[in-house]
Structures are given as C-alpha cells and as structure tokens.
Amino acid sequence: MIRTRSFALNTVAAACGLALMTAGQAQAGGWKLPENSINGTALSAAYVANASGADSSYYNPASMVFSDDPRGAFEADLTVVHISGTEFSAAGFPNDEGKTETIPVPSFHYISPAMGDVRYGLSVVTPGGLTKRWKGVGKTFAEEFTLKTVEFNPTISYKVNDQFSLGGGLRAIYSEGVVKSTDQGPLLVGYGVSPARNMEGDSWDFGYNLALHFKPNDDLKLSATYRSKIDLTEEGTATLSDATATLPTITTAASVTVPIPAALSLAAAFDVNDSTTFEVVLERTYWSEYKQLDFSYPASIGGYTAFFDAPSDRNWKDTNTLRLGLTHKLNSQWTVMAGLALDETPAPKNTIGFELPDSDAKIISLGAKYEYSDDLTIGAAFLYDQKDKLTITAADGNSTFAGGAEFKDSAAYLFTAGLEYRF
C-alpha cells in the first residue's frame, strides 16, 4: 500500500479529524461544540459540578445518583447554529469571504429512575462538525467541507457514599465527511493544469468517559470529568480531476487516521444561597496529539502528487478554556442562567489554512427554564461566540500565506430550545 500525506484531503482531516469535537469554527478552539442542552448553551458549558436532570448523563454522569428527583427523565433539544462569513485578505491573494451557514443540531438525554446507589443514562449528541465553505480563492483549499457526526454515550453512575460518586460510559461516534476544492487560477498559474478534488468518507470510532463527583458539604460540589482520545479512522473515496484535461480523472480509495484529543474538566459549584449557584470550570484539551496528517491510498495518484501530496504539518498545542456559569431560581417555576467562557485556539499561526482559520474566542450566553408542571419543564437559551481577529505576518513562517494574511469578523450564534419530561 502506498502511503502519502495528501494536500488533496487536508480538509477532510480538519473536518473529520478535528471537527468531531468541534463546530465548524462556531465554538471552542479546534471547533468543539460542547453546548448540547439548554443548560449547556445557557451556561457556556460551565455545567459540570452542578449538572442535574437528564443532561447530567452527558455533562457529568457521576452526578446522576445525586439528583433530587428519583424519577426517570428525558430531555429533547434543538440547537440552531448560525456561522457568520469570515472575511479574508492577504498579500498575493484576492480578497475572499466565507459563506454564512445555518445548521440545526438536535440532542437527546435520558436518565433512569433511581435504583438504589446506581443510575443509568444515555445521551445522543452532535459533538461537532458542521460546514465551512468559501466563495472565491479559498475554494482552492476548501470549497466545502461538511462533517455530520452523532455520538451515542451510554453511562452509569454509582454512589459510593453520601458524599462521593463515580460515573462513566462508552462513546461511540459515527461521522460522515464531504470535501471539495476547485483550483481558482491565481494560485497555480504556470502549472498548466487546474486540479480539483472531491472526497466522501465515513467512520465508526469508540472511546470512553469517566467522572468523579464529591460533595464536601451542602453548599459545595466538586467534579472532574475526562473524555478519552479517539482515533478517527475515516475511510472513503477520493476523485481527483483536472479542468484542462491534461491529467486524467482518478477515483481511488483513501483513508486517514486522525487523533481526537482527550479532554479533562475540573469544576466547582458553590451555592451562594438557596436560589443561586455559581460554577467555575477549567477545561484542558490535549490537542497536541494532532501533529501531522498521514493518508493511505491503494495506488499512486500520478500527476496529482505535486498538488495533493504535500506534507501537512499541524503541530497543535494543548489548550485551556475557562468557563463561568450562574444559575438563579427566581421562583418555583422560573430559573434563569448566564455564562461566560474564554477559549484558546490550539492552532499555531505557521500551520493555519483556509480549512481552519482559528483564533481565541470570547463567549457569552443567557437562558431560562419554565416548570410548566411537576412533570414538564421547557426552556430556551442563546449563546454568542466571537473569534478574535487573526493576523498572520511574514515572520510567522506560514507557507500558504508567506506574505501575511488576515481573517476577521468570524462569529457564531446559537439558539437552543427544548423540554425535559420526568416520569
């Protein structure tokens, strides 16, 4: 088997290898999408130590056995993600703008009725992905990459004593990726060809998550959660073509294995009074596993090698995210929430490309829930994610943007609505 590192499929690695924990530049550094419930969106995912209800099965399975309600429950939500069009300018390139995207993202959570010291849960979520497309010169690198993902996360929780519990589960992720790029001319003048690429692939991959939950007193909760690294083994078909017909069209099998980094969250939730809880979460994501792309083909890609077989270093770094959340119960029916997050990008400036012009982000959010009856609660939340302007200079040593580049006005808006039913 001939092994190559293909520029032709760099985007699918970004989409399928990175975006499984991300959201099309919509959310956390590396495109993570940690907001997978009303509480998650309303609190900017500062929802670990104070997780309760059906969505605790995803955010902190260890806390399920400490729920105040012994009944079973399920929560169904729909999040609409709107991604703005990123503006691009660079020396030697025409200006370009990314296309805006509006994408629905459903989620589902369930916890069983209390069974003594044990409780079970299940979450079905979209951990990341979505779409990134460019209108002009960016098509040469990322005309489109789309990733659809779904994660099935069955969990279990065990109460060791009245203060301490353990939890964990299996993560099963299915992904589908589509990658397209078309030469826009200015970048390949003098080569006499106009190459394009089109790939589709999918994969099932597995990991696990663990959780600890500790209540030293009635006002304080401490938690730690860990999501394991998952190696994504995308397999599919790539079609390489040339608009000038100088090179023949090639359709070939292609595969790539890309690490999905592990993530550790340490959280503390403090009851300020009977109505108000404040939570702080420090999240460490081990993106340094993502060093370089390495693709496998059953045959040579011939004359396309010069365009689609360049080494693709990434050399990402581990990142920290600080999340703050405030939950306040107005009365017996209404609960309001607010969140703030400061998120680092894992991508060094010397390896950034059109498929992921990532930068640090500031996130704010608001939400509310209404207890319609003893069995039913409905709610909604809004989140705004603003990426910092990304400026690449010649001194950064980026081989694609040797003369420097700027990406700006990149933002995302999330709206989540849903209900929780207890039985």
Side-chain angles (χ1 to χ4, degrees):
M1 179 175 290
I2 297 174
R3 299 195 61 80
T4 63
R5 296 184 181 93
S6 170
F7 173 79
L9 301 181
N10 283 355
T11 308
V12 79
C16 300
L18 305 179
L20 270 193
M21 303 193 68
T22 65
Q25 207 179 342
Q27 292 306 298
W31 303 356
K32 277 197 334 189
L33 182 60
E35 296 83 10
N36 278 289
S37 71
I38 298 169
N39 294 313
T41 299
L43 295 166
S44 296
Y47 182 63
V48 179
N50 197 42
S52 61
D55 58 348
S56 63
S57 66
Y58 182 72
Y59 286 97
N60 183 3
S63 70
M64 290 191 295
V65 290
F66 283 109
S67 173
D68 294 331
D69 196 327
R71 294 177 294 174
F74 71 82
E75 178 175 340
D77 304 303
L78 178 65
T79 297
V80 177
V81 181
H82 178 77
I83 306 170
S84 67
T86 304
E87 293 185 12
F88 164 78
S89 59
F93 289 80
N95 291 350
D96 199 359
E97 182 179 359
K99 294 184 178 181
T100 60
E101 308 287 349
T102 301
I103 305 167
V105 181
S107 59
F108 173 83
H109 306 278
Y110 162 83
I111 60 171
S112 70
M115 303 176 183
D117 294 331
V118 176
R119 207 157 188 174
Y120 298 94
L122 172 67
S123 291
V124 182
V125 300
T126 298
L130 308 184
T131 296
K132 184 63 179 178
R133 298 183 295 174
W134 289 92
K135 297 179 179 179
V137 67
K139 289 182 179 181
T140 301
F141 301 89
E143 179 179 357
E144 174 189 352
F145 67 81
T146 298
L147 181 71
K148 299 177 182 179
T149 67
V150 59
E151 176 178 342
F152 300 88
N153 185 203
T155 57
I156 185 172
S157 180
Y158 174 69
K159 183 189 291 186
V160 178
N161 54 44
D162 290 339
Q163 293 182 305
F164 182 66
S165 62
L166 306 171
L170 171 70
R171 303 177 65 199
I173 298 177
Y174 176 72
S175 64
E176 294 181 351
V178 176
V179 176
K180 296 179 182 180
S181 64
T182 303
D183 171 36
Q184 299 300 291
L187 299 181
L188 298 180
V189 171
Y191 284 92
V193 294
S194 181
R197 63 190 183 271
N198 189 337
M199 178 183 175
E200 296 184 6
D202 62 2
S203 177
W204 273 102
D205 298 284
F206 302 91
Y208 63 89
N209 62 302
L210 302 173
L212 304 175
H213 190 64
F214 179 55
K215 296 175 59 178
N217 56 54
D218 291 340
D219 297 327
L220 181 64
K221 303 170 187 175
L222 303 174
S223 295
T225 64
Y226 178 80
R227 297 186 185 277
S228 72
K229 169 190 170 186
I230 298 177
D231 282 327
L232 231 181
T233 54
E234 291 293 317
E235 296 184 355
T237 301
T239 298
L240 311 179
S241 59
D242 173 22
T244 70
T246 301
L247 298 175
T249 297
I250 296 175
T251 299
T252 178
S255 64
V256 61
T257 298
V258 181
I260 301 302
L264 173 67
S265 294
L266 304 177
F270 178 72
D271 292 336
V272 180
N273 52 46
D274 291 341
S275 302
T276 306
T277 300
F278 174 75
E279 178 161 355
V280 57
V281 179
L282 179 61
E283 181 181 294
R284 181 74 167 175
T285 305
Y286 298 95
W287 286 110
S288 58
E289 292 288 343
Y290 185 51
K291 301 183 185 300
Q292 194 176 57
L293 306 182
D294 192 0
F295 292 84
S296 177
Y297 302 93
S300 170
I301 57 174
Y304 293 99
T305 300
F307 310 104
F308 298 147
D309 194 27
S312 183
D313 292 328
R314 285 298 179 262
N315 297 322
W316 281 25
K317 64 179 182 179
D318 297 339
T319 61
N320 295 317
T321 302
L322 176 65
R323 304 183 185 278
L324 305 175
L326 188 68
T327 302
H328 178 69
K329 194 171 182 62
L330 291 174
N331 52 46
S332 61
Q333 291 182 303
W334 282 99
T335 299
V336 295
M337 296 163 284
L340 170 68
L342 302 175
D343 189 51
E344 295 179 333
T345 177
K349 290 185 177 181
N350 66 320
T351 65
I352 280 178
F354 280 100
E355 75 277 1
L356 180 50
D358 198 30
S359 59
D360 294 345
K362 300 176 181 65
I363 302 168
I364 58 173
S365 57
L366 296 169
K369 295 190 295 184
Y370 176 72
E371 190 169 328
Y372 179 80
S373 68
D374 185 53
D375 298 328
L376 179 64
T377 298
I378 58 177
F382 174 79
L383 179 147
Y384 173 66
D385 180 310
Q386 177 63 61
K387 294 284 188 178
D388 292 347
K389 181 171 69 174
L390 172 60
T391 300
I392 301 170
T393 68
D396 290 318
N398 188 299
S399 60
T400 302
F401 309 116
E406 183 178 89
F407 296 88
K408 64 180 182 178
D409 296 335
S410 179
Y413 309 82
L414 274 69
F415 177 77
T416 301
L419 60 85
E420 182 182 51
Y421 182 76
R422 296 168 289 277
F423 55 91

